[in-house]
Amino acid sequence: MGSNNTNKNQDLGLYFLEMARASSSMGVEDEKEESPMELNTINSSGGFLVVSPDKLSVKYTSVNLHGHDVGVVQANKPAPVKRLIYYFEIYVKDAGAKGQIAIGFTSETFKMRRQPGWEANSCGYHGDDGLLYRGQGKGDTFGPTFTSNDTIGGGINYASQEFFFTKNGAVVGAVFKDIKGPLFPTIAVHSLNEEVQVNFGQKKFAFDLKEYEAQERMKQQMTIEKISLPPNVSHRLVRSYLLHYGYEDTLNSFDLAGKSTVPPISFAQENGFDEQDIVYALNQRKTLRQLIRNGEIDAAFAKLHNWYPWIVQEDKSSTCFLLHCQKFIELVRVGALEEAVKYGRVELAKFFGLDEFENLVQDCVALLAYEKPQESSVGYLLEDSQREIVADMVNAMILSTNPNAKDFHGCLHSYLERLLRQLTACCLERRSMNGDQGEAFRLHRVLNSGKKGKC
């Protein structure tokens, strides 16, 4: 093997070594944002209202003499932004003397003597006139008025960047969200005996939020489905995926199914698809993947020594390290602990003291310390996903030996995965343009939901 191929193999091995390290935290979701749970009694116009001990209801107890004698209170936290929709509701227990109740969203610097929507960086739906106020003294025609026994909701649709409001479980309307920065759910009362109760999700909403979210996702899906694609492009993507990862049996079934459709699906090369690189050594790659998936690491090693000896000739390479780790893991899996200890002393000991291997070596050895290692902090090593990483590494190494291979990335990822990575970049860019608001697109979820099935 030439020096260029050796460097390529080292790069590939290090990539999958990093994947193996990262898999220990793959299942951990991003830390959840704090959501509003109660009203903020510290930052409110307390001279005009009384907040209940549970901080979930408010009553106007003063006499309204001036326009700025508003009883306003925000939630204790801003609306979380890393989701599709945020929503909360109020129940009008008593509309009081004038029914000047409002619901909306305001910024942290909002003047707490004004109705939401009367000041800049705020938006409010008002019960006495049904108008929507958005930072100006004059409201816009919006919806019906509301009074005692009505349930009113306010929400933010981060996908469409809109505020929306509901009345008694039905959407009243929506308006573009032109306010940046954190926004606090806000309610206001402005005449004697007005009293409202707030629901931040501690009980069931009158509005069917899940159905609304489902409809929003359906809109997004319909938009995607309107995009024109070349004929059979999805079939070619799936086929290239199966070829890339050596799923030969599934590929044969897939092709057979394509031929039985009316009209039969043609897999002629076009639109940039080139199968020659990924057809390379298909049967051998299939065999090795099956062996590793079944935990037969010795057999996989033997096949590699026979078919591709240069891949495993460097005993301290990342490739050999991951294979040795997997052999150790398989011994622990079947309860052969003494054999695992002996194997570790011979094979894993070679990698002690080497910085790039240290963390994974420690995690492997730590498996011996637990009576039920699969339930421990290093239990991720016993999951099928760990076998897949090793199988993918071997697959990429073999593809890299193809003299016609065009690039390094072609050995790592299928066309489908590269497309999904591009999709991720686009989603991140769009989310960034919206101030990092909305649901995060996580590529590993998409890949794991499909690739980890037993093809």
Side-chain angles (χ1 to χ4, degrees):
M1 292 283 285
S3 60
N4 287 341
N5 284 330
T6 300
N7 291 336
K8 184 194 291 185
N9 285 348
Q10 288 174 346
D11 290 341
L12 287 169
L14 290 172
Y15 171 84
F16 285 100
L17 177 61
E18 190 59 36
M19 285 282 290
R21 290 197 202 114
S23 66
S24 63
S25 58
M26 250 336 210
V28 179
E29 296 294 338
D30 295 339
E31 183 175 291
K32 288 187 176 181
E33 294 178 281
E34 289 186 294
S35 297
M37 298 296 292
E38 59 187 32
L39 298 172
N40 184 353
T41 56
I42 297 174
N43 184 27
S44 68
S45 49
F48 302 100
L49 53 78
V50 172
V51 177
S52 64
D54 65 2
K55 300 180 182 180
L56 292 174
S57 66
V58 61
K59 184 173 183 178
Y60 194 91
T61 55
S62 185
V63 177
N64 174 9
L65 298 177
H66 306 94
H68 56 263
D69 292 347
V70 183
V72 186
V73 60
Q74 294 177 325
N76 66 325
K77 302 287 182 183
V81 300
K82 295 179 181 179
R83 56 177 66 184
L84 179 63
I85 307 288
Y86 174 73
Y87 181 77
F88 77 108
E89 287 181 344
I90 61 171
Y91 171 71
V92 183
K93 187 175 181 180
D94 191 332
K98 298 181 181 178
Q100 296 176 326
I101 298 168
I103 178 174
F105 295 91
T106 58
S107 66
E108 189 171 14
T109 58
F110 182 73
K111 295 179 181 179
M112 300 305 290
R113 296 282 294 274
R114 305 282 284 166
Q115 290 268 16
W118 283 1
E119 296 289 328
N121 297 318
S122 69
C123 176
Y125 174 30
H126 292 212
D128 59 334
D129 54 19
L131 300 183
L132 186 74
Y133 292 79
R134 292 192 289 165
Q136 299 175 348
K138 183 180 178 182
D140 299 320
T141 301
F142 185 68
T145 60
F146 53 87
T147 187
S148 300
N149 299 318
D150 283 332
T151 298
I152 309 301
I156 304 174
N157 183 331
Y158 291 111
S160 62
Q161 286 292 298
E162 291 178 319
F163 293 116
F164 69 96
F165 295 90
T166 68
K167 178 179 178 181
N168 297 328
V171 175
V172 172
V175 62
F176 179 66
K177 184 179 80 68
D178 55 357
I179 308 172
K180 305 299 181 183
L183 294 172
F184 290 77
T186 304
I187 56 176
V189 285
H190 198 186
S191 71
L192 186 62
N193 292 327
E194 289 177 358
E195 185 175 0
V196 298
Q197 299 170 341
V198 63
N199 179 10
F200 290 120
Q202 70 269 22
K203 57 185 179 181
K204 185 178 180 180
F205 291 128
F207 177 62
D208 191 339
L209 182 59
K210 288 187 177 181
E211 176 62 24
Y212 185 76
E213 290 176 334
Q215 290 175 3
E216 182 58 41
R217 289 191 171 92
M218 182 60 70
K219 288 180 188 176
Q220 296 175 5
Q221 184 63 34
M222 290 175 67
T223 301
I224 293 170
E225 290 178 358
K226 290 178 181 177
I227 299 173
S228 177
L229 294 174
N232 302 330
V233 67
S234 59
H235 288 82
R236 288 195 294 275
L237 282 169
V238 172
R239 194 170 193 276
S240 69
Y241 178 89
L242 297 173
L243 278 167
H244 179 92
Y245 284 103
Y247 296 127
E248 186 177 22
D249 295 341
T250 306
L251 175 67
N252 292 334
S253 298
F254 184 76
D255 285 348
L256 186 62
K259 291 174 182 177
S260 65
T261 62
V262 180
I265 296 172
S266 171
F267 295 107
Q269 179 182 325
E270 55 182 282
N271 295 319
F273 283 82
D274 185 357
E275 292 185 350
Q276 293 305 309
D277 293 350
I278 49 180
V279 170
Y280 177 77
L282 178 59
N283 186 260
Q284 292 171 327
R285 291 188 289 118
K286 164 200 163 183
T287 299
L288 285 162
R289 180 172 292 278
Q290 288 176 338
L291 289 172
I292 295 169
R293 274 183 155 188
N294 293 334
E296 301 175 47
I297 307 303
D298 285 340
F301 254 126
K303 294 290 187 186
L304 284 169
H305 279 294
N306 185 32
W307 293 338
Y308 304 97
W310 50 89
I311 289 179
V312 289
Q313 67 183 359
E314 175 53 59
D315 201 35
K316 288 188 179 179
S317 67
S318 299
T319 303
C320 287
F321 171 68
L322 287 177
L323 284 164
H324 285 310
C325 283
Q326 197 59 39
K327 171 64 178 178
F328 180 88
I329 292 165
E330 299 301 341
L331 290 172
V332 174
R333 189 193 305 275
V334 298
L337 301 186
E338 289 187 13
E339 190 177 347
V341 171
K342 291 177 183 178
Y343 189 85
R345 285 174 177 169
V346 174
E347 301 297 349
L348 295 189
K350 302 172 187 175
F351 302 94
F352 288 167
L354 300 177
D355 291 344
E356 64 266 38
F357 304 124
E358 183 177 0
N359 290 341
L360 199 55
V361 169
Q362 290 178 353
D363 282 2
C364 286
V365 174
L367 288 169
L368 299 171
Y370 297 95
E371 185 177 346
K372 295 181 178 179
Q374 66 273 16
E375 298 176 8
S376 70
S377 60
V378 292
Y380 73 95
L381 292 169
L382 295 167
E383 294 176 1
D384 288 343
S385 58
Q386 194 66 23
R387 287 176 170 175
E388 291 287 349
I389 290 173
V390 178
D392 288 350
M393 173 195 66
V394 170
N395 185 75
M397 287 295 185
I398 295 173
L399 287 174
S400 74
T401 67
N402 181 0
N404 297 319
K406 292 183 176 65
D407 60 66
F408 170 79
H409 294 289
C411 301
L412 289 175
H413 307 298
S414 67
Y415 290 119
L416 177 59
E417 288 166 306
R418 281 181 265 178
L419 179 63
L420 287 171
R421 288 172 186 273
Q422 182 63 33
L423 173 61
T424 301
C426 291
C427 288
L428 289 173
E429 180 63 23
R430 179 184 177 188
R431 195 164 177 262
S432 175
M433 292 173 65
N434 286 337
D436 288 329
Q437 296 179 350
E439 287 183 304
F441 179 86
R442 296 180 178 88
L443 177 60
H444 77 266
R445 285 182 180 174
V446 179
L447 299 183
N448 287 353
S449 66
K451 194 172 85 174
K452 304 315 175 190
K454 294 188 176 181
C455 294

